[in-house]
């Protein structure tokens, strides 16, 4: 983990909701996210590949799916 990563996540979580949006599968991403936030105190929500929009061989992270939160 990078130096001060936990302090960064803690400080950010106090002023904003942290939502991680990745094109990775949950089985891979959860290992990394659980390492960064093992007690699940900072990261509020996780969005994965199944939440992406496939387009021309790529996975697009379309933020329009997050309709109930201010961007």
């Amino acid at each position: 983990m990078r130096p001060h990563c936990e302090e960064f996540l803690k400080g950010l979580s106090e002023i904003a909701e942290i939502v991680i949006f990745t094109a990775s599968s949950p089985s891979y991403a959860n290992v990394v996210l659980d390492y960064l936030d093992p007690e699940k105190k900072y990261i509020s929500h996780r969005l994965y590949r199944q939440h992406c929009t496939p387009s021309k061989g790529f996975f697009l992270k379309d933020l329009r799916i997050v309709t109930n939160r201010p961007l």
Side-chain angles (χ1 to χ4, degrees):
M1 190 176 324
R2 293 268 198 195
H4 309 291
C5 181
E6 185 175 0
E7 291 88 356
F8 173 76
L9 290 172
K10 180 182 184 302
L12 184 60
S13 70
E14 292 171 358
I15 60 171
E17 179 182 31
I18 301 176
V19 178
I20 303 297
F21 198 165
T22 179
S24 294
S25 65
S27 60
Y28 173 80
N30 283 333
V31 172
V32 175
L33 297 175
D34 289 344
Y35 182 79
L36 291 172
D37 186 13
E39 296 177 22
K40 296 179 176 38
K41 297 189 300 186
Y42 309 126
I43 300 170
S44 301
H45 298 283
R46 302 172 180 198
L47 300 171
Y48 307 99
R49 180 172 291 174
Q50 68 262 30
H51 300 105
C52 294
T53 304
S55 175
K56 300 178 185 176
F58 296 95
F59 292 99
L60 302 177
K61 297 173 197 149
D62 188 351
L63 294 178
R64 289 179 290 185
I65 70 163
V66 187
T67 59
N68 59 340
R69 291 174 173 78
L71 298 177

